[in-house]
Amino acid sequence: MRLKDVFVRMLSERGIETISTNIERILESDDVIQMMAVWIANGKANVCRGHKGVAFDLNGNRIDAQAQAFVGSCEDAMLTREELLREAENEFFPYIVIDCSFYDRHIEKEKRKLLLQISQTLGVVRKFMWDEKLIVTALDCGIGVYYPSTAEFIKEKGIKDIILLDPFGEEVFEGQKAECYIIGGIVDKVGNKTGWTSKLGNMLKKDGIEFRSMRILLRGDIIGVPDRLNTIAEIILRVVLDGEDVESAIRRVQSRLVARWRLRKELPKLTVRIDVKERPFRVVRKSDFGKFDWLNIKREDFYEVCSELGYIVLDDEALEEIVKSAEWDERKGRFVIDV
Ligand SMILES: C[S@@+](CC[C@H](N)C(=O)[O-])C[C@H]1O[C@@H](n2cnc3c(N)ncnc32)[C@H](O)[C@@H]1O
């Protein structure tokens, strides 16, 4: 469930089936109804009687008619922030915490990337929930709700059920729900920051915070899981709020670059080794491309990665012909052609 589902339910209960707005930022959004709900939850608008601007049905389809209500400002609101948030409290909407305790240990370029990713995470949070659900700790950057430390936030809210997203986490994330998901405000561009998320975990333990640490895996491996903060937040929210499975959520946010990294790891397992006059070749079947529908790759990525790895791509029939005319060398584990 996203915030818009609570909003739509409340509108329907009030007999409102069409809604309008003239707020440009809402109209520019890909998901107008969710953005209306975000504006209300953020205290920037209410639902008011009458029509203003562009009208939509509650599925977000534009309609050519006067709407029954509009999102904007008015004196006698039909639905306010307080009412929407009271209703949302009965549903599951977790906090996303970005812990920036290591901000100062990044170089300038990484700091800029970190800020960009935090602002993109706010964009992700708005797709599902509203601004107060994004907490940024140890860095007052003007995005999300600032707390001096993650421990302080958790203690103040009395949160008990916490998951630290850590590539070296003890458990595998399979959609476990928690009141709060912590993501490390870490950008890996320069130097070796391996294990820094676990260090954040150690700091939390010292502050008396108990949590579960979980790693996100794609078919048993961390390679192919995007590691930008916004993509991690989107994977979590797609799984725990939309009910998607982890693999499809990863695929939705996986860039082709990240998908190619995983392809590089998978392809060697599929090659057929053939020695031609003692020169070793590794061959991949053209049809093997079809085995990677779980990665965000296009056919050209498949050919490019094969070529980078020095593999030859052959039609399945051509490879069968070659294999038929070759001898199998058990000791070397490869086919051999001597002529
Ligand atoms: C760029 S990663 C930094 C990882 C860091 N180098 C480390 O080894 O701990 C930024 C954050 O994304 C989250 N993250 C990235 N990949 C993850 C994965 N496969 N599983 C769980 N969390 C992940 C973690 O919260 C991490 O702190």
Side-chain angles (χ1 to χ4, degrees), residues 47 59 63 114 118 140 179 201 213 231 246 309 315:
V47 177
N59 293 319
I63 52 168
L114 186 50
I118 295 173
D140 191 359
E179 284 173 84
S213 70
T231 53
V246 176
L309 295 172
D315 275 332

Side-chain angles (χ1 to χ4, degrees), residues 18-230:
T18 55
I19 184 118
S20 59
T21 191
N22 60 359
I23 300 171
E24 279 303 321
R25 292 272 309 277
I26 296 181
L27 292 171
E28 282 163 7
S29 155
D30 291 341
D31 189 346
V32 173
I33 302 292
Q34 169 67 19
M35 204 40 80
M36 286 178 177
V38 169
W39 274 64
I40 296 166
N42 287 350
K44 289 188 185 159
N46 290 316
V47 177
C48 308
R49 262 167 255 279
H51 172 92
K52 249 187 200 176
V54 185
F56 299 87
D57 66 20
L58 298 190
N59 293 319
N61 301 313
R62 205 175 154 150
I63 52 168
D64 208 6
Q66 295 277 305
Q68 293 163 282
F70 72 90
V71 171
S73 38
C74 57
E75 292 289 304
D76 60 335
M78 299 173 78
L79 174 55
T80 61
R81 162 188 156 85
E82 289 67 34
E83 289 168 312
L84 178 60
L85 292 187
R86 207 176 308 129
E87 197 76 13
E89 257 174 36
N90 299 326
E91 304 296 339
F92 170 69
F93 289 118
Y95 286 104
I96 299 291
V97 175
I98 300 180
D99 188 326
C100 295
S101 298
F102 295 139
Y103 180 74
D104 288 334
R105 291 169 65 175
H106 289 82
I107 62 162
E108 283 311 312
K109 195 174 159 196
E110 289 173 325
K111 284 180 179 170
R112 279 198 300 276
K113 283 188 188 289
L114 186 50
L115 288 173
L116 175 67
Q117 289 183 28
I118 295 173
S119 109
Q120 289 172 335
T121 307
L122 178 62
V124 169
V125 165
R126 285 180 176 162
K127 271 164 76 169
F128 297 83
M129 307 188 288
W130 63 101
D131 292 27
E132 282 171 359
K133 288 291 172 182
L134 177 67
I135 311 297
V136 179
T137 66
L139 177 70
D140 191 359
C141 60
I143 310 165
V145 181
Y146 165 72
Y147 273 80
S149 75
T150 302
E152 222 171 300
F153 162 71
I154 287 169
K155 285 179 186 167
E156 189 185 299
K157 293 277 178 194
I159 295 173
K160 297 273 172 283
D161 194 8
I162 302 148
I163 292 177
L164 170 69
L165 277 320
D166 180 349
F168 300 99
E170 284 160 12
E171 297 172 57
V172 176
F173 175 72
E174 284 162 338
Q176 294 89 335
K177 291 195 172 172
E179 284 173 84
C180 165
Y181 296 91
I182 305 173
I183 300 173
I186 301 164
V187 168
D188 281 313
K189 287 289 163 220
V190 181
N192 183 1
K193 300 189 185 73
T194 307
W196 280 26
T197 315
S198 308
K199 284 188 187 166
L200 290 176
N202 293 339
M203 286 158 61
L204 284 173
K205 276 187 204 150
K206 271 195 191 146
D207 283 326
I209 307 290
E210 281 180 31
F211 59 88
R212 292 181 286 169
S213 70
M214 294 195 187
R215 57 190 194 280
I216 303 171
L217 298 181
L218 174 59
R219 300 206 174 184
D221 201 315
I222 202 171
I223 298 175
V225 179
D227 69 351
R228 294 172 60 93
L229 314 188
N230 51 305

